[in-house]
Amino acid sequence: MDVFSQIFNQLAHAKSFGFNPDFLEANVINITLLLSGLIYILKNFLGSTLINRQEKVLLAIQESEERLKQANERLEEAEKQLAQTQLVIEQIKQEAEITAQKVRDSILNQGKIDIEKLTYAGKTSIANAEQAIKKQIQQQIVTLAIHKVTVQLEEQMNETMQSNIIDNNINKLGVKL
């Protein structure tokens, strides 16, 4: 800090500080030529560097847009599958409600003697319907999961992975024989 104040004091008290109108003595031509040369040389270098960087940025943007598009497509497919599953669940619920209503109506129309028999039959029917519904839902979930895994496997499988799997299976067959 002390050095800066000394320099500032010397510049403030110096009498020769000012504009020099003599161009040759002030070296303005040399400085202008040097600046022109630097600008000319650096213009091509910096221009090509900036163009390369711009191309890389554009390529990265295009790749990101493609990934976004693929993600949106997968999201739409998943939403469609979810909607289909919800429709199936709603149909199952409606069928269960209709079955329950039929069982109730038949119980009311029967006499006091048949109430216990129909109650037992209704409970058994509902349990069977629930088991069938659960089984159907499980089959639907398994089918959807297998489809999803198959799609993912097809996207991720390449020739090297296929070759490795085939070689491993051949080796296993050779060991068993």
Side-chain angles (χ1 to χ4, degrees):
M1 185 76 172
D2 189 35
V3 175
F4 289 117
S5 62
Q6 287 177 357
I7 292 172
F8 182 72
N9 284 336
Q10 287 180 0
L11 285 176
H13 295 309
K15 305 252 190 231
S16 65
F17 186 70
F19 177 72
N20 188 355
D22 187 7
F23 286 106
L24 296 176
E25 188 177 314
N27 244 351
V28 172
I29 295 172
N30 290 340
I31 292 172
T32 305
L33 288 175
L34 180 63
L35 280 175
S36 300
L38 280 174
I39 289 171
Y40 179 75
I41 291 170
L42 292 178
K43 181 177 95 174
N44 291 334
F45 173 73
L46 291 177
S48 65
T49 302
L50 289 175
I51 288 172
N52 288 340
R53 186 164 197 159
Q54 181 182 16
E55 290 173 356
K56 288 178 183 178
V57 168
L58 289 175
L59 181 63
I61 289 171
Q62 290 172 350
E63 289 175 358
S64 297
E65 287 175 347
E66 183 63 30
R67 281 185 264 148
L68 175 64
K69 180 181 173 185
Q70 290 173 356
N72 285 334
E73 289 172 358
R74 287 190 297 252
L75 176 63
E76 288 176 11
E77 183 178 328
E79 287 174 346
K80 287 178 184 177
Q81 290 176 354
L82 176 63
Q84 290 173 352
T85 304
Q86 288 174 344
L87 286 175
V88 169
I89 291 171
E90 187 62 34
Q91 288 175 349
I92 292 170
K93 285 181 181 179
Q94 289 175 354
E95 290 174 6
E97 289 174 5
I98 290 170
T99 303
Q101 184 64 38
K102 287 180 180 179
V103 169
R104 274 192 300 256
D105 290 342
S106 66
I107 291 172
L108 291 175
N109 292 334
Q110 296 296 324
K112 290 181 181 180
I113 300 170
D114 294 336
I115 288 177
E116 291 180 9
K117 291 179 183 179
L118 290 177
T119 302
Y120 178 74
K123 288 179 181 179
T124 305
S125 176
I126 289 173
N128 290 338
E130 285 179 353
Q131 289 297 327
I133 290 168
K134 286 180 183 178
K135 191 172 187 177
Q136 188 177 7
I137 289 173
Q138 288 174 346
Q139 288 176 350
Q140 184 94 17
I141 289 171
V142 167
T143 302
L144 291 174
I146 289 172
H147 176 71
K148 185 176 181 179
V149 167
T150 303
V151 170
Q152 288 178 346
L153 197 60
E154 289 175 354
E155 290 176 355
Q156 296 174 355
M157 184 66 70
N158 58 28
E159 292 181 14
T160 305
M161 289 176 69
Q162 288 176 352
S163 176
N164 288 340
I165 290 170
I166 291 170
D167 291 342
N168 286 338
N169 288 335
I170 290 171
N171 290 336
K172 287 178 183 178
L173 286 175
V175 170
K176 289 181 180 179
L177 295 175

